[in-house]
């Protein structure tokens, strides 16, 4: 079967929408392209079969900027002690103001004439594919090989770069996956499967549009700490000091994103399961899984300044607090789990009893002395020189170059006589699970479940700040990972009731409660340098979530089906963000000592779908969702005015419509047309709000901030129009597919 889809996009528009989303009223058939195909069939009938699919998807997005400036439109003029337009570069589309022109009026006149190019700023392009081969080795053994591939290129919207879109970084994400699975039928009541998979995910972000640009980053450095290789001057050619010219509430008028980031994960997974219907009442299921993840990371900023002779170089991450790396060995966490479950069925009830074992080894280390984190740049004198007289302090006579400790000396023994680092122990948990269901009417039943759940900390909180760097005299400016954190532990209870009404309607009511412990938080640690502090990730926060869901579903009878559910829930804790205590300390705010609404605390949600099939070859459906506002913390003039999450954002709602019609042209040829309309009513949901008003539409900042500052080329009111704060406007996709059997 071959399936090819071509898509066009069109958005609705009104006056306010045009101000928020410029170019929304422009009809562009090339805005979205979505081409898909799949093919399947036998290779050896009854033995080997295959399935293959591919997809190309391109989306220009709905957020646009104008190419008013190039990254190098401005140049520093020593005689004027100021920046001026470089006459050899000019503005976008080659416009060049004369000496008598006022630059701001010149730009405004060209903008009014729509003379600058509009550039999509949240575009993406993806190529993906899958190949699957199945082999029936014997009637009792089946082998499957699955290959997955996905490559995505994109650029994210940056409000500051709205007038200089060429200065943004490009993002690339390449994913590959290989999976081999064997299914075994041991007898009529017992079957098993074994699986091995290898998944690779490589995300890169850098200025160059070349996805392979990162390969130019070589881990080789001079004695000065700068890289031995120079990056291409055709890519990096602007002194980052230009950002000082357009600071605060100003669009960048020149400059380039100088950050280079790469994170690659290779995940090897081994998994096996067996299920056996022991007798008419007991079904036993058991399984085990082992996973090893190999993670590499490089996060650096390209340097282009007088110290580099204005050549594009980068510093050794081991000696620069600005840069991070996992080094050649990377990080290699190991996860192991196993479970056993017994399903007991009788006429009166169904009982599930299970036990799960989880083991997590981060394979990393923590500091033995939190006051002196970086052994390559020690702070305590006793970690720099040997204490030759054994008095516990370093005298002036001992501060001699011949008495210096080496890196290996410090690793063996710190100021307290311990090794500099301590390898952490693995974390384990045994989690019981229990579920019960029993009938209470002829067509209704009650169900209850109880369980403990184990969730490993995010790797970013374990391996953050991999060089253990806290710059001297930096105040409070750093966070540090902690490989010795405990996993998050959740205890969950659920009780519910289900009832069938008539032939086609079902009602279900479910209540739940979750108690969450060992949530990630941050703890302030003091450095040896007076006044220096940093945030260490720890397990300190806790939370709970409780709620009730009422769901009604209607099966497809008389050409109509649908479902509707409503959820009321409360999510509370003592912090949503693991870095909350760190930022409170940085802002001199007393940390929360009470339960507050969490960032994801949405009290009311409604979801519904309706589907109608007027004929056997056509159908139309509506998908609706509503959500009450998420919490946010009020501020005025960047100062918090109340406790965390004390106010609510506006509620959001959305409706999508989908329809299709199939044409059977020949016995083996079917042509299907479809239309998808997202955000049918073109609602402008406010997803991100200003903390001083709780709205996306306006802020109180103009009450105490001048309209013009810095380069004085845009007003504050212009800068405060944030299209990225709203949901995506209406989008219409029309497509056709062809199926050949």
């Amino acid at each position: 079967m071959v399936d090819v889809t071509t898509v066009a996009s069109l958005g609705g528009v009104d006056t306010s929408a045009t101000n928020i989303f410029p170019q929304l009223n422009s009809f562009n058939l090339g805005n979205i392209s979505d081409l898909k195909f799949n093919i399947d069939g036998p290779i050896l009938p009854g033995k080997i079969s295959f399935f293959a699919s591919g997809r190309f998807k391109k989306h220009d997005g709905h957020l646009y900027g104008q190419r008013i400036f190039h990254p190098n439109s401005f140049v520093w003029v020593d005689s004027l002690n100021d920046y001026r337009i470089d006459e050899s570069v000019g503005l976008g589309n080659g416009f060049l103001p004369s000496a008598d022109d006022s630059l701001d009026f010149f730009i405004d006149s060209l903008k009014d004439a729509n003379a600058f190019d509009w550039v999509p700023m949240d575009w993406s392009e993806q190529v993906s594919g899958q190949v699957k081969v199945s082999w029936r080795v014997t009637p009792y053994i089946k082998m499957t090989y699955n290959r997955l591939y996905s490559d995505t290129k994109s650029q994210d919207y940056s409000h500051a770069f709205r007038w200089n879109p060429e200065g943004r970084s490009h993002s690339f994400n390449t994913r590959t996956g290989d999976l081999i699975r064997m299914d075994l039928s041991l007898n009529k009541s017992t079957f098993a499967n074994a699986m091995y998979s290898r998944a690779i995910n490589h995300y890169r972000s850098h200025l160059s549009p070349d996805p392979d640009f990162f390969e130019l980053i070589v881990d080789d450095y001079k004695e000065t700490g700068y890289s031995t290789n120079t990056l291409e001057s055709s890519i990096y050619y602007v002194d980052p000091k230009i950002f000082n010219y357009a600071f605060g509430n100003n669009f960048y008028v020149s400059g380039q994103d100088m950050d280079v980031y790469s994170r690659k994960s290779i995940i090897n997974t081994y998994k096996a399961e067996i299920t056996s219907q022991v007798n008419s009442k007991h079904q036993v299921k058991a399984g085990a899984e082992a996973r090893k993840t190999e993670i590499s990371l490089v996060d650096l900023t390209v340097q282009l300044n007088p110290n580099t002779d204005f050549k594009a170089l980068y510093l050794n991450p081991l000696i620069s607090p600005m840069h991070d790396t996992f080094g050649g060995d990377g990080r290699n966490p190991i996860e192991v789990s196993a479970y056993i479950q017994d399903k007991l069925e009788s006429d009166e009830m169904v009982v599930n009893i299970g036990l799960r074992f989880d083991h997590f080894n981060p394979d990393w280390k923590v500091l033995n002395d939190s006051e002196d984190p970086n052994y390559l740049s020690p702070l305590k004198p006793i970690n720099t020189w040997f204490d030759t007289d054994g008095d516990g302090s370093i005298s002036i006579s001992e501060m001699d170059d011949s008495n210096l400790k080496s890196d290996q000396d410090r690793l063996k023994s710190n100021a307290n006589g311990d090794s500099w680092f301590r390898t952490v122990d693995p974390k384990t948990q045994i989690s019981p699970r229990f579920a019960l269901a029993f009938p209470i009417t002829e067509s209704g039943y009650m169900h209850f479940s109880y369980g403990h759940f184990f969730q490993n900390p995010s790797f970013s909180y374990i391996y953050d700040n991999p060089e253990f760097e806290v710059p001297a005299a930096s105040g409070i400016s750093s966070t540090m990972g902690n490989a010795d954190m405990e996993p998050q532990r959740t205890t969950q209870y659920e009780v519910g009731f289900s009832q069938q009404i008539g032939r086609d309607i079902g009602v279900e009511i479910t209540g739940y409660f979750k108690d969450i412990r060992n949530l990630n938080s941050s703890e302030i640690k003091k450095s040896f340098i007076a006044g220096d502090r940093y945030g260490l990730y720890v397990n300190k926060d806790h939370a709970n979530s409780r709620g009730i869901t009422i769901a009604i579903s209607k099966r497809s009878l008389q050409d109509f089906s649908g479902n509707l559910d409503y959820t009321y829930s409360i999510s509370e804790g003592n912090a949503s963000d693991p870095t909350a205590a760190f930022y409170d300390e940085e802002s001199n705010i007393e940390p929360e000592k009470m339960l507050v609404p969490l960032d994801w605390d949405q009290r009311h949600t409604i979801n519904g779908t309706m589907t109608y099939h007027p004929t056997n070859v056509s159908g139309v459906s509506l998908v609706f969702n509503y959500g009450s506002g998420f919490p946010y913390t009020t501020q005025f003039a960047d100062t918090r005015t109340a406790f965390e999450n004390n106010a609510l954002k506006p509620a959001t709602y959305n409706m999508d419509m989908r329809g299709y019609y199939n044409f059977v042209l020949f016995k083996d040829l079917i042509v299907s047309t479809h239309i998808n309309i997202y955000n049918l009513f073109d609602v402008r949901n406010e997803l991100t709000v200003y903390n001083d008003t709780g709205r996306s539409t306006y802020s109180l900042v103009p009450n105490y901030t001048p309209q013009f500052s810095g380069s004085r080329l845009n007003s504050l009111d212009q800068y405060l129009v944030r299209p990225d704060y709203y949901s995506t406007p209406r989008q219409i996709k029309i497509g056709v597919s062809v199926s050949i059997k």
Side-chain angles (χ1 to χ4, degrees), residues 402-453:
S402 62
N403 196 39
L404 283 171
K405 286 185 175 181
S406 68
D407 294 343
Q408 293 303 315
D409 292 327
R410 285 188 285 273
L411 287 172
K412 291 178 182 178
S413 177
N414 63 13
N416 303 318
D418 302 317
S419 60
W420 198 274
F421 297 109
R422 171 178 62 85
T423 301
V424 302
D425 296 325
K427 306 297 185 293
T428 61
Q429 175 174 303
I430 296 178
S431 307
R433 309 277 174 85
F434 174 79
L436 170 67
F438 56 90
I440 56 174
T441 67
E442 289 185 0
S443 56
Y445 67 92
M446 292 282 294
H447 59 88
F448 168 80
S449 66
Y450 162 83
H452 290 249
F453 300 88

Side-chain angles (χ1 to χ4, degrees), residues 520-534:
N520 298 341
S521 181
S522 51
E523 181 176 86
I524 304 304
K525 295 290 186 180
K526 293 182 179 180
S527 170
F528 180 73
I529 302 296
D532 284 356
R533 305 177 303 285
Y534 62 93

Side-chain angles (χ1 to χ4, degrees), residues 208-225:
S208 171
D210 181 2
D212 298 323
F213 169 80
F214 184 78
E215 295 178 3
L216 300 176
I217 304 296
V218 179
D219 191 21
D220 188 29
Y221 305 93
K222 306 173 185 176
E223 291 184 2
T224 59

Side-chain angles (χ1 to χ4, degrees), residues 219-237:
D219 191 21
D220 188 29
Y221 305 93
K222 306 173 185 176
E223 291 184 2
T224 59
Y226 285 106
S227 57
T228 55
N229 67 318
T230 302
L231 301 179
E232 297 175 30
S233 59
S234 61
I235 298 174
Y236 294 99
Y237 49 84

